[in-house]
C-alpha cells in the first residue's frame, strides 16, 4: 500500500490574503505556535501539501460551493488537446465573449496559490524554532522555498504575462510578492512585474540548489518531495520565460546529472502505478487508494463504459487531427483512401463518413430508425446517397486512424476501434466487456461487442491516457492512486531541446527530439531551420504532455494559442469527430487581452492598490 504523508492543518487551509484565518495573537497570517517541536514541524511540513488535494471527490464541475484542491480540469479544458465539458458550469474563461474578472477559476487560482504562499512563508520563518537537526532543518527549509517558488511560478504563468520586449509579448501583468509572514492588514501590495516575480523564484531555487543538504533526487528516500533536480528544472523554466535560454539549458542539463532520465518503456506505460516511481518522475502529486489521499481523475476521463466515468475531459478533434502519419508527414483527411472529397464537403456533411454500417440493409427498430433518419436529414439526402457505404463505411473511416503516430491510439479511443473495458460489477456479470466500439449514431450499449457509451456527447473522442479499464485497476472511480506528474523528465528534456534550438545548438536539439520520437516508435526528424526545429519540439510537447497541465502555458509562451486552440479564429468551439463546431453545442471566444489573467475582482475590492486589467469586466 502506498504511503502518503500529509496532515490536515486548518491554519494552512486559508483562502485569499485578506481572508486568511486569524489564529495568531499578533494577527499574523501564520501558525507560529505549531513550529516549536520536531514532531510539530514534521506535521507542519506535511501540511504544506494539503491544499493540493480535493476534499469532495464526487464532483468535478468548476463550481463555487464544493471545489477544492489543485484545479486540473480547468487547465485541461484550456489546453489545445482537450475539450472540457461541465454539465452545469461552462469554462467561462473560454465561453464568455467578454472575459470576466469575477469568473470562478480566476479568483480560485489566486486564492489557491496564495494559500500555498502564506503557508510556505510561515514555515520558512518558523522552522528554526523547532530544534531540528541541521540536515533536516536545511532540507525542510529548501522544501518550503521550492514549494513557494513552484506556486509563484504557477501564479506568474497565469497572471504575469510575458517579459517586456519579448517577440511573443502580450499585455504585461504580475502578482503581489509576499515573501515574509505578514498580517491581514498588510495585504495591500500592488502587482510586481513578471520579471520581478521570476527573480524571486530564481532566488528561492538558487538557495535550494546551493544547499548541501538538499538531495539531488527523491527517487528512493522522501519520494514525492522536492529535490535539487526539481529545483534545476523549475529554475530552468523561469529562465525560459525570461528568454535567457543559455541559462535555461545549463539548468536543464543539470537535471539529468541529478539522477533523472526519460522513461525507457512504451510511452503510455509510464502512466501506471507500476511505473510512477521511475527516474522519469521528478516531482509528483502523490495519490493512494486510501480515503483522503485518493484522486478522482477517472471520473473526468473515459466514458460511462469505463468505470461509469463522466467523460467531461475529451480529446478535441483538432488534437486528434494533429497527430502525424507514421512516416512523420502531416495528416490530411483528403489523403485518406475514400475520403478524397473531404474538403469539398461542409463540416456538417462530413458526418456521412462516420456513420455505422448497415443503415440501408439492416432492419432497425422504430426508435433506432428515427435516430438514423435524423442524422441523414442533418447530412442531406443527396450527400448521404453519394458517399455512404452500407458495407464498408466503418472500415473506410478506420483507415484515417491507422498508420499514424502510435501515441494516437495509446492516448485516444478512436471510432470503430475494438476496446475492452470494465464498467462496474453490475454489467456483463462484473467482467470486462470485450470489443466495445465507438459507433455513430449510438444505438445499443449492450455488453460484449456493444456500442461504447460515452454519455451525453456520444460523437466525441475518449481519452485512454489516465483511463482505467480493468476491474483490478481501481476500487472505485473516486479511488484513483496513480501519481500525477507536476514535473517529469520528458517535460524538462523537451524544454532543453527548445533552449538548444534558441541558442543555435541544433544538433543537440534534434538529438533530443529524436530520442523522444524513437521511444514513441516515430521516425527521426531531420531539420536545420530554427523555426522548423522549434515546431518539431512543439509537436512533441503537445503530444507527450497532454492532460498534464502544461500546454496552455506553452502555447501562450510560444505565441501560438489562437492558432492551436482556436484554429486561427476569434470564435470557435468544441466539435464532434467531423469538426462541425459552428453552433454545435457552445462557442469559445478569443480576445487579445484574455492572457494574462487579471487580478480577481474581489481581490481588487479588498486591496485598492491592485491594478485592474483593461478589457475585462469587473
Amino acid at each position: 500500500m502506498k504511503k502518503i504523508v500529509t496532515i490536515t492543518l486548518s491554519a494552512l487551509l486559508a483562502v485569499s490574503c485578506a481572508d486568511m484565518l486569524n489564529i495568531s495573537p499578533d494577527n499574523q497570517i501564520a501558525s507560529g505556535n505549531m513550529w516549536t517541536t520536531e514532531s510539530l514541524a514534521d506535521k507542519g511540513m506535511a501540511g504544506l501539501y494539503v491544499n493540493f488535494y480535493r476534499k469532495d471527490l464526487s464532483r468535478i464541475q468548476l463550481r463555487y460551493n464544493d471545489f477544492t484542491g489543485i484545479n486540473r480540469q480547468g487547465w485541461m479544458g484550456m489546453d489545445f488537446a482537450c475539450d472540457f465539458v461541465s454539465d452545469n458550469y461552462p469554462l467561462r474563461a473560454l465561453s464568455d465573449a467578454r472575459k470576466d474578472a469575477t469568473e470562478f477559476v480566476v479568483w480560485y487560482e489566486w486564492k489557491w496559490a496564495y494559500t500555498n504562499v502564506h503557508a510556505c512563508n510561515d514555515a520558512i520563518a518558523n522552522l528554526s524554532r523547532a530544534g531540528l537537526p541541521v540536515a533536516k532543518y536545511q532540507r525542510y527549509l529548501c522544501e518550503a522555498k521550492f514549494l513557494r517558488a513552484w506556486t509563484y511560478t504557477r501564479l506568474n504563468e497565469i497572471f504575469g504575462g510575458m517579459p517586456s520586449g519579448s517577440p511573443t509579448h502580450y499585455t504585461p501583468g504580475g502578482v503581489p510578492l509576499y515573501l515574509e509572514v505578514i498580517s491581514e492588514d498588510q495585504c495591500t501590495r500592488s502587482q510586481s512585474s513578471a520579471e520581478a516575480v521570476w527573480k524571486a523564484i530564481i532566488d528561492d531555487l538558487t538557495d535550494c540548489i546551493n544547499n548541501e543538504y538538499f538531495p539531488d533526487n527523491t527517487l528512493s528516500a522522501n519520494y514525492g518531495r522536492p529535490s535539487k533536480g526539481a529545483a534545476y528544472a523549475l529554475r530552468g523554466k523561469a529562465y525560459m520565460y525570461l528568454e535567457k535560454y543559455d541559462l535555461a539549458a545549463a539548468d536543464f542539463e543539470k537535471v539529468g546529472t541529478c539522477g533523472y532520465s526519460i522513461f525507457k518503456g512504451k510511452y503510455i506505460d509510464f502512466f501506471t502505478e507500476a511505473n510512477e516511481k521511475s527516474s522519469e518522475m521528478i516531482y509528483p502529486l502523490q495519490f493512494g487508494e486510501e480515503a483522503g489521499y485518493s484522486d478522482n481523475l477517472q471520473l473526468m476521463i473515459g466514458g460511462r463504459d469505463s468505470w461509469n466515468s463522466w467523460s467531461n475531459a475529451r480529446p478535441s478533434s483538432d488534437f486528434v487531427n494533429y497527430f502525424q502519419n507514421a512516416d512523420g508527414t502531416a495528416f490530411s483527411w483528403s489523403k485518406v483512401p475514400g475520403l478524397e472529397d473531404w474538403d469539398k464537403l461542409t463540416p456538417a456533411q462530413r458526418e456521412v463518413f462516420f456513420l455505422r454500417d448497415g443503415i440501408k440493409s439492416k432492419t432497425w427498430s422504430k426508435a433506432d430508425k428515427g435516430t438514423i433518419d435524423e442524422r441523414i436529414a442533418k447530412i442531406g439526402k443527396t450527400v448521404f446517397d453519394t458517399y455512404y457505404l452500407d458495407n464498408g463505411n466503418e472500415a473506410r473511416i478506420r483507415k484515417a486512424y491507422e498508420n499514424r503516430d502510435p501515441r494516437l491510439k495509446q492516448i485516444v479511443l478512436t471510432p470503430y476501434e475494438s476496446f475492452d473495458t470494465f464498467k462496474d460489477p453490475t454489467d456483463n456479470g462484473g467482467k470486462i466487456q470485450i470489443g466495445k466500439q465507438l459507433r455513430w449514431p449510438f444505438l445499443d450499449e449492450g455488453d460484449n461487442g456493444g456500442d461504447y457509451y460515452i454519455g451525453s456527447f456520444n460523437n466525441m473522442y475518449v481519452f485512454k491516457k489516465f483511463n482505467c479499464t480493468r476491474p483490478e485497476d481501481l476500487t472505485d472511480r473516486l479511488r484513483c492512486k496513480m501519481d500525477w506528474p507536476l514535473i517529469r523528465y520528458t517535460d524538462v528534456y523537451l524544454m532543453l531541446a527548445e533552449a538548444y534550438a534558441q541558442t543555435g545548438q541544433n544538433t543537440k536539439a534534434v538529438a533530443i527530439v529524436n530520442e523522444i520520437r524513437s521511444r514513441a516508435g516515430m521516425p527521426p526528424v531531420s531539420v536545420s531551420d530554427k523555426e522548423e526545429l522549434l515546431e518539431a519540439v512543439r509537436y512533441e510537447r503537445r503530444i507527450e504532455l497532454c492532460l498534464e497541465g502544461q500546454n496552455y502555458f506553452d502555447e501562450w509562451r510560444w505565441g501560438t494559442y489562437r492558432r492551436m486552440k482556436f484554429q486561427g479564429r476569434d470564435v470557435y468551439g468544441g466539435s464532434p469527430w467531423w469538426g462541425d463546431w459552428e453552433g454545435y453545442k457552445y462557442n469559445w471566444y478569443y480576445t487579445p487581452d484574455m492572457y494574462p489573467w487579471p487580478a480577481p475582482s474581489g481581490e481588487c475590492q479588498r486591496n485598492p492598490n491592485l491594478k485592474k486589467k483593461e478589457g475585462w469586466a469587473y
Side-chain angles (χ1 to χ4, degrees):
M1 181 176 290
K2 188 186 301 183
K3 183 178 181 182
I4 302 175
V5 183
T6 74
I7 187 169
T8 301
L9 301 171
S10 60
L12 302 178
L13 293 177
V15 284
S16 71
C17 186
D19 290 333
M20 283 299 221
L21 297 178
N22 180 13
I23 59 172
S24 299
D26 57 356
N27 197 35
Q28 287 182 326
I29 302 175
S31 54
N33 294 334
M34 72 161 297
W35 300 100
T36 54
T37 69
E38 183 171 359
S39 176
L40 288 174
D42 291 341
K43 294 175 182 178
M45 288 302 297
L48 297 185
Y49 300 86
V50 170
N51 195 36
F52 286 82
Y53 290 85
R54 291 290 306 273
K55 292 179 183 177
D56 181 358
L57 298 177
S58 65
R59 300 178 185 272
I60 55 86
Q61 288 89 351
L62 298 167
R63 297 171 57 161
Y64 289 83
N65 61 342
D66 58 12
F67 196 81
T68 55
I70 191 171
N71 171 20
R72 290 193 287 168
Q73 53 264 53
W75 296 117
M76 288 177 189
M78 299 296 288
D79 280 358
F80 160 61
C82 186
D83 177 17
F84 185 85
V85 180
S86 177
D87 297 334
N88 58 359
Y89 188 89
L91 189 53
R92 291 177 53 205
L94 286 175
S95 63
D96 280 359
R98 186 183 183 192
K99 308 310 177 185
D100 196 331
T102 66
E103 155 67 349
F104 171 77
V105 293
V106 174
W107 68 256
Y108 182 84
E109 288 290 347
W110 186 284
K111 177 265 295 187
W112 184 87
Y114 276 108
T115 299
N116 288 356
V117 165
H118 292 301
C120 292
N121 288 345
D122 180 16
I124 292 166
N126 289 294
L127 270 168
S128 61
R129 303 170 58 218
L132 298 171
V134 172
K136 189 174 187 178
Y137 166 70
Q138 292 293 336
R139 177 169 63 85
Y140 274 175
L141 186 63
C142 288
E143 285 187 22
K145 287 188 175 183
F146 175 90
L147 287 171
R148 183 170 69 181
W150 187 93
T151 304
Y152 266 121
T153 296
R154 187 176 178 92
L155 276 168
N156 223 21
E157 286 183 307
I158 299 169
F159 301 98
M162 299 299 293
S164 58
S166 165
T168 52
H169 173 67
Y170 294 93
T171 306
V175 293
L177 265 176
Y178 297 102
L179 302 176
E180 67 286 323
V181 176
I182 57 173
S183 63
E184 291 179 11
D185 56 13
Q186 290 175 316
C187 290
T188 58
R189 294 176 191 168
S190 183
Q191 294 97 326
S192 294
S193 67
E195 292 91 337
V197 178
W198 288 124
K199 182 182 183 304
I201 291 166
I202 290 168
D203 288 346
D204 269 350
L205 296 170
T206 300
D207 286 347
C208 295
I209 289 166
N210 291 338
N211 193 309
E212 63 179 301
Y213 297 101
F214 201 40
D216 284 350
N217 64 69
T218 53
L219 293 170
S220 52
N222 299 308
Y223 168 78
R225 294 294 182 93
S227 66
K228 197 164 290 189
Y232 275 121
L234 198 57
R235 193 175 71 171
K237 177 180 276 193
Y239 286 135
M240 291 294 284
Y241 271 94
L242 291 170
E243 298 177 337
K244 297 181 178 181
Y245 298 116
D246 54 342
L247 296 177
D251 273 359
F252 294 144
E253 288 170 344
K254 286 288 188 179
V255 178
T257 67
C258 288
Y260 296 105
S261 60
I262 68 167
F263 178 64
K264 300 298 184 182
K266 185 178 179 182
Y267 164 78
I268 200 64
D269 289 344
F270 171 72
F271 304 99
T272 62
E273 187 182 19
N275 294 317
E276 65 187 6
K277 291 186 178 181
S278 77
S279 59
E280 170 90 15
M281 190 71 88
I282 296 174
Y283 179 50
L285 179 55
Q286 293 186 84
F287 291 108
E289 193 174 30
E290 303 92 333
Y293 308 117
S294 52
D295 181 32
N296 67 344
L297 186 58
Q298 179 66 37
L299 193 60
M300 308 176 213
I301 303 293
R304 300 299 290 183
D305 271 339
S306 295
W307 282 93
N308 255 319
S309 303
W310 292 348
S311 189
N312 293 83
R314 295 115 180 222
S316 72
S317 58
D318 296 313
F319 176 61
V320 173
N321 297 344
Y322 183 67
F323 282 80
Q324 293 173 352
N325 294 316
D327 63 2
T329 59
F331 170 75
S332 171
W333 281 102
S334 62
K335 292 182 180 179
V336 176
L339 303 185
E340 290 84 0
D341 286 351
W342 178 273
D343 294 328
K344 297 179 182 178
L345 303 182
T346 68
Q349 291 170 334
R350 293 167 188 161
E351 181 180 347
V352 68
F353 296 123
F354 294 85
L355 295 176
R356 61 199 298 152
D357 285 353
I359 284 178
K360 294 180 178 179
S361 61
K362 288 185 179 179
T363 300
W364 302 99
S365 69
K366 183 177 180 180
D368 289 348
K369 182 68 164 56
T371 300
I372 290 170
D373 287 346
E374 183 180 293
R375 304 321 308 167
I376 294 173
K378 185 174 185 299
I379 293 166
K381 188 68 165 53
T382 300
V383 171
F384 174 78
D385 289 339
T386 303
Y387 292 101
Y388 178 71
L389 303 176
D390 191 65
N391 182 17
N393 223 52
E394 296 174 12
R396 180 176 58 185
I397 203 64
R398 273 200 301 268
K399 293 177 183 177
Y401 306 103
E402 296 169 354
N403 298 314
R404 300 279 293 278
D405 185 327
R407 288 168 293 191
L408 171 57
K409 287 200 173 185
Q410 294 172 28
I411 293 170
V412 178
L413 176 61
T414 58
Y416 304 104
E417 171 189 349
S418 182
F419 190 53
D420 300 340
T421 184
F422 176 78
K423 184 172 184 178
D424 62 43
T426 65
D427 281 83
N428 199 36
K431 299 177 181 178
I432 291 177
Q433 301 175 102
I434 305 298
K436 302 286 290 223
Q437 293 186 27
L438 286 174
R439 297 187 178 97
W440 186 250
F442 173 87
L443 296 177
D444 181 19
E445 181 180 3
D447 290 320
N448 295 332
D451 296 359
Y452 183 94
Y453 182 38
I454 299 176
S456 57
F457 291 71
N458 278 296
N459 49 14
M460 305 286 280
Y461 294 105
V462 175
F463 277 114
K464 290 182 180 177
K465 183 175 179 179
F466 295 122
N467 183 3
C468 293
T469 58
R470 302 174 302 173
E472 62 267 28
D473 289 340
L474 302 172
T475 301
D476 62 55
R477 65 188 184 184
L478 305 184
R479 297 288 187 93
C480 306
K481 50 192 175 179
M482 161 65 191
D483 291 352
W484 194 63
L486 294 170
I487 305 174
R488 66 181 178 96
Y489 193 75
T490 297
D491 171 21
V492 174
Y493 209 28
L494 287 170
M495 281 194 290
L496 175 58
E498 184 181 345
Y500 281 154
Q502 292 285 6
T503 53
Q505 302 179 72
N506 291 3
T507 301
K508 290 182 178 180
V510 168
I512 291 173
V513 169
N514 287 338
E515 187 175 353
I516 300 296
R517 289 175 68 84
S518 176
R519 177 178 69 177
M522 285 292 284
V525 298
S526 179
V527 295
S528 56
D529 176 79
K530 178 181 176 180
E531 187 53 40
E532 288 183 352
L533 180 51
L534 287 172
E535 198 56 39
V537 173
R538 292 168 188 156
Y539 175 83
E540 296 304 319
R541 286 188 66 82
R542 288 170 181 141
I543 300 301
E544 286 274 332
L545 304 176
C546 66
L547 292 181
E548 296 179 43
Q550 304 286 352
N551 175 258
Y552 176 78
F553 307 112
D554 276 349
E555 301 293 353
W556 281 109
R557 182 168 59 82
W558 297 331
T560 53
Y561 190 69
R562 182 173 179 270
R563 171 164 66 90
M564 299 305 296
K565 182 68 175 180
F566 286 78
Q567 296 296 291
R569 301 176 174 91
D570 289 333
V571 183
Y572 198 51
S575 63
W577 304 328
W578 47 91
D580 181 18
W581 68 271
E582 193 168 10
Y584 175 62
K585 294 290 183 181
Y586 43 82
N587 285 338
W588 303 329
Y589 295 89
Y590 175 87
T591 63
D593 50 21
M594 68 186 293
Y595 180 83
W597 288 8
S601 178
E603 294 296 328
C604 292
Q605 293 172 13
R606 295 184 185 101
N607 176 8
N609 290 322
L610 290 174
K611 299 173 184 176
K612 297 180 179 180
K613 184 177 179 183
E614 292 184 8
W616 284 67
Y618 276 84

